[in-house]
């Protein structure tokens, strides 16, 4: 049977599990917010601990905290940064209050862990109080967006790395098949000749462009509003505090940070997060589009294109024996769909802000963190289970080249558009390769064609 201690807040007494490091406001949030069934992202917890550690030191240096209090808060924060006490962060990720319950959950855990380190009873807050000390010179309205920005930077490191590795894998395929020709298609109709190397390289180029876009958007995450407190007026802060917070947060995390020049703007407007989400959405759209192409090229194996063979990972049907589906490319599509949907939520959350604050950061961060994680996992899954084992069916591709009318475009400047159009119609009517019509009609010999247009006579 659970034992409880009694704590009080401005609304009255609250029963808190006896050994819990969290306190009254966390318990209230547990009772009030049952939305996702998921707690705050662990990286956000770590980021908030960094923020509290930097704030404690800054407050000590400007004379707002004693050395004893600052040190014990920092020690408790270091434990959370190291991955300890994560079970104490128990609020739902989506909640009302602009993230106040998330902030207070952190304040309470740090205060109670400090109490343990000082051999004081939990929940009494004799030396370290959640509001008076841990949250000194702070508000949810500067702590939560700053923690969110740091979390995005942490999570994006893995995303950029996963994107880079996927691009490297595609570049390897481009080199492996650089001289293998295929029929290019526009409007899903036969067009002109292209190489598999060019196709795979185009995908890698696209990914590297999206890396640059995301990195550019992430630059806005380095400007923070710590010291703004409630609405950006710096109420309840001491001169020198905000500069020190940015300085120490940078030292602790390895990321550069600067304080926003306009703290009112930095507190009420969260468009920078929309910018990051937009870059993620752009990548998701491109990645999904690439998977569409891969699924089409792998269609078959007998009556589809069958230009590539992708790794067989799972039986494809509960009723059709032997069927194998492109599941890795399909799951990547679905991850991308989710990210694109998340972007709409993030956009609406940003738009819905009112007056001096946007209170919808919890849902914004829940979706934004999820988008970064989904794309990171999708890139890794796609690379390991889809791209690295992909092979080109060179014989099938060369047969398509031979049977196609792609050569028509190449000979058009020499023979004239109208003449070639007539020959193309003849080839289609007679169901013959275009090259055979050219040769049989005595227009060009096979030797002349091979010399002039070697790519259209593949040795695949």
């Amino acid at each position: 049977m659970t034992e409880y201690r009694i704590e009080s807040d401005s609304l009255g007494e609250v029963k808190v599990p006896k050994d819990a490091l969290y306190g009254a406001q966390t318990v209230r949030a547990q009772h009030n917010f049952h939305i996702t069934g998921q707690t705050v992202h662990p990286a956000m917890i770590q980021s908030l601990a960094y923020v509290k550690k930097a704030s404690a030191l800054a407050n000590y240096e400007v004379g707002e905290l004693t050395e004893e209090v600052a040190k014990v808060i920092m020690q408790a924060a270091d434990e959370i940064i190291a991955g300890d006490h994560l079970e104490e962060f128990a609020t739902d990720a989506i909640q009302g209050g602009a993230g106040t319950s998330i902030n207070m959950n952190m304040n309470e855990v740090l205060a109670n862990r400090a109490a343990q380190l000082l051999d004081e009873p939990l929940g009494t807050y004799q030396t370290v109080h959640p509001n008076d000390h841990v949250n000194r010179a702070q508000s949810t309205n500067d702590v939560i967006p700053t923690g969110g920005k740091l979390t995005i930077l942490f999570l994006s490191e893995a995303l950029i790395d996963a994107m880079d590795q996927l691009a490297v894998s595609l570049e390897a395929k481009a080199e492996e098949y650089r001289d293998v020709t295929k029929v290019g298609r526009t409007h899903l109709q036969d067009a002109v000749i292209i190489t598999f190397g060019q196709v795979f390289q185009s995908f890698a180029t696209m990914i590297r462009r999206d890396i640059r876009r995301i990195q550019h958007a992430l630059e806005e995450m380095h400007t923070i509003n710590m010291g703004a407190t409630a609405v950006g007026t710096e109420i309840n802060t001491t001169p020198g505090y905000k500069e020190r917070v940015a300085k120490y947060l940078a030292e602790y995390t390895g990321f550069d940070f600067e304080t926003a020049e306009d703290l009112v703007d930095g507190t009420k407007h969260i468009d920078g997060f929309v910018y990051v989400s937009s870059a993620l959405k752009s990548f998701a759209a491109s990645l999904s589009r690439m998977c569409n192409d891969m699924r089409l090229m792998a269609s078959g194996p007998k009556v589809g294109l069958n230009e590539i063979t992708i790794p067989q990972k799972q039986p494809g049907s509960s009723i059709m024996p032997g069927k194998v589906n492109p599941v890795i490319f399909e799951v990547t599509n679905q991850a991308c769909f989710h990210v694109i949907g998340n972007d709409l939520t993030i956009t609406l959350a940003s738009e819905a802000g009112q007056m001096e604050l946007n209170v919808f950061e919890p849902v914004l961060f829940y979706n934004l963190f999820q988008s970064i994680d989904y794309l990171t996992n999708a890139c890794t899954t796609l690379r390991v289970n889809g791209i690295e084992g992909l092979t080109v069916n060179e014989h099938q591709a060369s047969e398509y080249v031979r049977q196609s009318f792609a050569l028509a475009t190449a000979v058009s400047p020499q023979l004239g558009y109208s003449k070639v159009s007539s020959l193309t119609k003849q080839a289609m009517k007679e169901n013959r390769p275009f090259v055979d019509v050219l040769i049989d009609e005595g227009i060009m010999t096979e030797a002349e064609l091979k010399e002039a247009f070697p790519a259209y006579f593949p040795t695949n």
Side-chain angles (χ1 to χ4, degrees):
M1 184 174 179
T2 304
E3 296 184 53
Y4 294 92
R5 65 177 188 263
I6 301 299
E7 290 194 23
S8 298
D9 60 15
S10 60
L11 296 181
E13 292 186 344
V14 178
K15 290 172 61 178
V16 180
K18 179 182 177 182
D19 296 324
L21 294 183
Y22 55 79
Q25 292 203 38
T26 301
V27 172
R28 291 192 187 278
Q30 287 177 307
H31 292 164
N32 291 332
F33 307 125
H34 299 278
I35 305 299
T36 68
Q38 300 179 37
T39 54
V40 177
H41 198 296
M44 179 65 159
I45 301 302
Q46 181 188 41
S47 295
L48 291 173
Y50 274 119
V51 172
K52 296 297 180 179
K53 179 181 179 181
S55 295
L57 182 55
N59 274 314
Y60 164 67
E61 291 190 348
V62 297
E64 289 295 320
L65 291 179
T66 66
E67 182 177 3
E68 177 190 29
V69 170
K71 281 186 174 181
V72 77
I73 291 173
M74 294 170 68
Q75 182 178 347
D78 280 334
E79 292 178 0
I80 295 170
I81 291 167
D84 297 336
H85 315 304
L86 291 180
E87 70 281 358
E88 302 291 339
F89 296 93
T91 66
D92 196 291
I94 296 180
Q95 55 186 254
T100 295
S101 297
I102 299 173
N103 184 32
M104 285 306 302
N105 192 173
M106 175 62 69
N107 292 336
E108 290 171 346
V109 170
L110 290 174
N112 278 312
R113 179 56 186 149
Q116 288 182 327
L117 295 170
L118 296 170
D119 294 321
E120 297 174 356
L122 294 176
T124 58
Y125 310 120
Q126 296 173 12
T127 304
V128 180
H129 190 279
N131 300 84
D132 296 336
H133 301 111
V134 182
N135 202 61
R136 189 76 169 181
Q138 300 157 60
S139 164
T140 293
N141 306 344
D142 56 5
V143 168
I144 293 299
T146 299
K149 288 180 178 180
L150 181 54
T151 303
I152 290 165
L153 292 172
F154 277 134
L155 296 179
S156 294
E157 288 184 317
L159 173 60
I160 297 299
D161 182 62
M163 292 173 70
D164 178 70
Q165 290 186 58
L166 179 57
V168 169
S169 182
L170 287 162
E171 287 161 350
K173 291 297 174 184
E175 178 62 24
E176 182 179 358
Y177 296 109
R178 65 178 181 178
D179 297 323
V180 179
T181 55
K182 70 183 295 290
V183 176
R185 296 175 180 87
T186 59
H187 305 266
L188 293 180
Q189 304 296 304
D190 301 347
V192 297
I193 299 304
I194 194 171
T195 69
F196 280 98
Q198 291 170 315
V199 171
F200 294 140
Q201 182 59 53
S202 73
F203 295 143
T205 300
M206 171 268 293
I207 292 171
R208 295 209 176 279
R209 181 169 60 253
D210 277 306
I211 289 175
R212 292 193 296 273
R213 284 196 187 112
I214 293 170
Q215 289 174 326
H216 188 269
L218 289 173
E219 291 177 7
E220 298 206 11
M221 300 297 99
H222 295 271
T223 301
I224 60 175
N225 71 323
M226 288 302 296
T229 63
V231 298
T233 60
E234 302 182 56
I235 189 171
N236 292 351
T237 65
T238 300
Y241 164 77
K242 65 181 181 182
E243 293 83 6
R244 283 174 168 83
V245 173
K247 172 188 173 184
Y248 292 128
L249 193 60
E251 287 184 8
Y252 295 153
T253 65
F255 296 113
D256 291 330
F257 289 106
E258 63 179 4
T259 304
E261 293 183 7
D262 185 337
L263 286 172
V264 174
D265 166 63
T267 302
K268 68 190 293 184
H269 296 134
I270 56 175
D271 48 287
F273 300 122
V274 180
Y275 187 21
V276 173
S277 180
S278 178
L280 298 175
K281 180 183 70 172
S282 176
F283 174 52
S286 297
L287 187 64
S288 185
R289 186 251 195 269
M290 182 185 81
C291 289
N292 296 341
D293 285 357
M294 294 292 194
R295 290 189 294 112
L296 283 171
M297 288 190 288
S299 61
K302 292 300 183 183
V303 290
L305 293 180
N306 193 33
E307 291 182 333
I308 63 173
T309 297
I310 57 180
Q312 297 188 348
K313 290 299 181 180
Q314 291 188 210
S317 174
S318 62
I319 190 173
M320 293 172 278
K323 191 171 187 289
V324 180
N325 298 327
V327 294
I328 301 304
F329 297 89
E330 292 170 349
V331 75
T332 303
N333 281 128
Q334 292 173 78
C336 293
F337 301 161
H338 203 111
V339 170
I340 293 168
N342 283 351
D343 180 70
L344 177 57
T345 298
I346 291 163
T347 302
L348 292 173
S350 176
E351 179 275 334
Q354 297 166 319
M355 310 301 276
E356 274 62 62
L357 181 66
N358 190 307
V359 304
F360 300 110
E361 289 180 5
V363 72
L364 183 149
F365 286 136
Y366 177 77
N367 283 273
L368 190 48
F369 301 161
Q370 187 181 76
S371 290
I372 298 171
D373 283 342
Y374 278 20
L375 287 174
T376 301
N377 296 337
C379 285
T380 301
T381 296
L382 180 60
R383 173 179 59 84
V384 173
N385 296 314
I387 301 300
E388 290 181 351
L390 181 153
T391 58
V392 169
N393 300 329
E394 299 186 24
H395 175 76
Q396 181 70 77
S398 66
E399 183 62 18
Y400 284 147
V401 171
R402 193 185 75 81
Q403 292 288 343
S404 77
F405 297 156
L407 182 59
T409 302
V411 300
S412 180
Q414 183 175 345
L415 302 180
Y417 189 93
S418 297
K419 174 68 172 177
V420 174
S421 294
S422 177
L423 292 170
T424 301
K425 289 180 180 179
Q426 179 183 343
M428 292 180 66
K429 182 178 179 180
E430 298 174 359
N431 194 26
R432 300 167 60 200
F434 180 76
V435 64
D436 291 353
V437 173
L438 284 178
I439 294 170
D440 292 347
E441 294 294 323
I443 296 172
M444 297 182 75
T445 67
E446 183 174 355
E448 290 172 334
L449 287 168
K450 286 183 176 180
E451 182 179 359
F453 310 104
Y456 291 79
F457 296 88
T459 58
N460 294 356

